[in-house]
């Protein structure tokens, strides 16, 4: 197997982890062309990929090569630094996909390995490694989470009929895929109208397992029912309000365990960018905006959306009063449209998804 083959295996291993707020990392130890150790970081606080791979390799690690998807750490957190373990194990060569953007590491791990006389190479399959940890990279380099805008709609871009009916526009396979996306994010964000009309749990149900990302409702006034399904579940429920929120409404929400965060203003409404900053401070590397149209429009207006995932069903709803996937005032000219790059189209059941990255530069 080639260097690229070993690194590809390390990336596949890394994908198994659920590690936020840590990065996903995989490691493979190879000696004389034979894989003698493998490991991946399972979750925050547990042993790192390098340590697990070295443990599996044992004495065979001496004189071996290690392939790891992210620069080994050189500082002590909840686990010991991996650089020291690599040096003590006698690894002679380390091939790293990318440097760690965290200021606690940022090239220092690679420098320490080189200083110990270990051959170090960096950059193999870097693009794939960056895609694997795009949320971690965004958080560490900007202090903001990776923000994904998701919407499920008809072919004519409607997320509900003129009466507000929205169940179910997309198919069961599409909804199952959407739950996998939910499982992989730290926070799910909806607007107050979506919370009132759909009463969602905002959980991720994949197979028999139920995951509980941080659940966030944006409500200017805080006037949402305290008996909504999302309250009282495991994990954290947040209601993001403006400075004009109703004190009594806030008190009622706090009584059912909701955490209240107050947002700064942007154009006379609560700032979604400020919400994302506060979620990042709480350790959220990624946030999924699910609805509705006005919340989506606000997020795009403040230019905080990184990625879109639009689910389309082969249906036409129509109606001038039907609810659009993107609300707000909209742009005045086509030239002002928000551009999407690196688009991918995926067929799911009888519908399809469009995925891409928002390009605000244009």
């Amino acid at each position: 197997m080639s260097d690229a083959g070993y690194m590809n295996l390390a990336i596949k291993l890394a994908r198994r982890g659920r590690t936020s707020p840590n990065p996903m990392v995989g490691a493979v130890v190879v000696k004389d062309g034979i894989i003698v150790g493998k490991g991946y970081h399972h979750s925050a606080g547990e042993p790192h990929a390098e340590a697990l791979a070295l443990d599996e390799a044992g004495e065979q690690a001496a004189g071996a090569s290690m392939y790891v998807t992210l620069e080994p750490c050189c500082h002590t957190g909840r686990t010991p630094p991996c650089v020291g373990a690599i040096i003590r194990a006698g690894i002679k060569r380390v091939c790293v996909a990318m440097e760690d953007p965290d200021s606690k590491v940022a090239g220092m791990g690679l420098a320490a390995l080189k200083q110990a006389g270990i051959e170090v190479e960096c950059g193999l399959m870097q693009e794939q490694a960056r895609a694997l940890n795009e949320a971690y990279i965004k958080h560490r380099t900007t202090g903001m989470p990776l923000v994904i805008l998701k919407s499920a709609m008809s072919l004519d871009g409607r997320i509900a009929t003129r009466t507000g009916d929205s169940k179910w526009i997309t198919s069961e396979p599409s909804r199952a895929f959407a739950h996998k996306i939910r499982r992989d994010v730290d926070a799910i964000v909806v607007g107050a109208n979506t919370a009132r009309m759909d009463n969602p749990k905002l959980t991720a149900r994949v197979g028999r397992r139920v995951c509980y990302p941080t659940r966030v409702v944006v409500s200017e006034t805080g006037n949402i029912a305290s008996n909504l399904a999302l309250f009282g579940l495991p994990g954290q429920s947040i209601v993001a309000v403006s400075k004009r929120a109703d004190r009594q409404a806030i008190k009622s929400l706090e009584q059912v365990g909701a955490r209240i965060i107050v947002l700064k203003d942007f154009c006379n409404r609560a700032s979604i960018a400020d919400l994302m900053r506060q979620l990042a401070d709480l350790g959220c590397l990624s946030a999924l905006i699910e609805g509705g149209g006005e919340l989506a429009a606000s997020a795009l207006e403040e230019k905080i959306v990184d990625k879109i995932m639009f689910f389309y069903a082969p249906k036409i709803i129509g109606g001038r009063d039907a609810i659009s996937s993107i609300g707000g005032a909209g742009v005045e000219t086509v030239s002002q449209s928000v551009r999407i790059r690196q688009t991918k189209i995926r067929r799911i059941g009888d519908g399809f998804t469009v995925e891409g990255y928002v390009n605000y530069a244009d």
Side-chain angles (χ1 to χ4, degrees):
M1 190 182 293
S2 65
D3 283 351
Y6 294 128
M7 187 63 79
N8 186 56
L9 174 57
I11 288 173
K12 286 182 178 179
L13 288 168
R15 289 197 184 104
R16 299 180 185 178
R18 294 290 174 265
T19 59
S20 185
N22 291 351
M24 292 183 282
V25 183
V28 176
V29 178
V30 179
K31 188 168 186 179
D32 299 326
I34 298 173
I35 296 173
V36 295
K38 302 189 298 290
Y40 69 93
H41 187 35
H42 291 239
S43 61
E46 294 191 18
H48 288 186
E50 299 95 321
L52 293 173
L54 290 172
D55 283 347
E56 185 175 297
E59 293 181 357
Q60 296 182 87
S65 296
M66 173 178 279
Y67 299 82
V68 61
T69 57
L70 185 70
E71 176 182 7
C73 61
C74 54
H75 65 286
T76 300
R78 283 188 278 183
T79 58
C82 294
V83 165
I86 292 170
I87 294 170
R88 289 191 298 273
I91 292 287
K92 71 173 183 180
R93 175 175 176 253
V94 176
C95 188
V96 177
M98 63 170 286
E99 286 190 12
D100 191 330
D102 193 315
S103 60
K104 296 175 182 177
V105 187
M108 291 183 284
L110 299 180
L113 292 173
K114 291 177 182 177
Q115 189 173 5
I118 296 174
E119 180 186 347
V120 176
E121 298 176 21
C122 184
L124 177 64
M125 299 187 71
Q126 181 172 242
E127 184 177 341
Q128 295 90 329
R130 291 184 66 86
L132 176 70
N133 278 309
E134 60 180 349
Y136 173 77
I137 294 168
K138 172 78 184 297
H139 185 272
R140 292 300 192 272
T141 56
T142 69
M144 293 281 279
L146 181 81
V147 181
I148 304 167
L149 175 60
K150 170 189 164 289
S151 188
M153 67 189 86
S154 60
L155 287 177
D156 54 335
R158 308 296 186 173
I159 59 174
T161 68
R162 58 183 173 80
T163 65
D165 181 49
S166 62
K167 293 186 177 180
W168 294 100
I169 291 178
T170 55
S171 64
E172 177 59 35
S174 289
R175 296 197 296 276
F177 183 71
H179 275 273
K180 291 181 180 179
I181 298 170
R182 282 183 171 187
R183 176 196 59 190
D184 294 336
V185 298
D186 295 325
I188 302 175
V189 185
V190 298
N193 284 338
T194 298
R196 293 187 192 104
M197 295 180 69
D198 295 347
N199 193 21
K201 292 182 179 178
L202 303 184
T203 57
R205 299 179 296 280
V206 180
R208 296 181 178 180
R209 185 182 178 191
V210 180
C211 301
Y212 300 93
T214 295
R215 304 172 294 277
V216 184
V217 180
V218 181
S219 174
E220 291 267 346
T221 62
N223 285 314
I224 56 174
S226 59
N227 62 351
L228 291 176
L230 62 92
F231 298 122
L233 294 174
Q236 183 170 222
S237 296
I238 294 175
V239 179
V241 302
S242 75
K243 293 178 288 187
R244 299 169 293 281
D246 181 89
R247 295 294 101 191
Q248 188 56 47
I250 287 176
K251 185 176 180 180
S252 297
L253 293 169
E254 288 177 330
Q255 288 175 345
V256 294
R259 178 173 186 159
I260 307 297
I261 61 176
V262 181
L263 304 180
K264 297 177 181 178
D265 277 354
F266 177 85
C267 295
N268 297 316
R269 59 167 172 75
S271 170
I272 307 305
D274 187 45
L275 169 62
M276 295 305 160
R277 278 188 289 269
Q278 294 196 49
L279 289 178
D281 290 343
L282 293 174
C284 292
L285 303 189
S286 56
L288 181 68
I289 297 177
E290 285 212 343
E294 295 303 315
L295 180 63
S298 297
L300 288 168
E301 183 181 359
E302 291 191 61
K303 298 183 178 182
I304 53 96
V305 177
D306 297 294
K307 189 175 183 178
I308 61 104
M309 296 200 73
F310 286 179
F311 290 70
Y312 289 91
K315 301 172 183 177
I316 296 174
I317 290 176
R320 66 178 62 89
D321 295 325
I323 302 173
S324 173
S325 61
I326 309 293
V331 299
E332 295 182 357
T333 64
V334 172
S335 64
Q336 296 172 324
S337 302
V338 176
R339 304 300 177 93
I340 308 299
R341 59 182 175 83
Q342 295 177 239
T343 54
K344 296 179 183 178
I345 298 176
R346 183 198 310 253
R347 186 70 181 264
I348 301 179
D350 62 353
F352 63 96
T353 67
V354 176
E355 176 182 343
Y357 292 84
V358 181
N359 184 4
Y360 295 110
D362 293 342

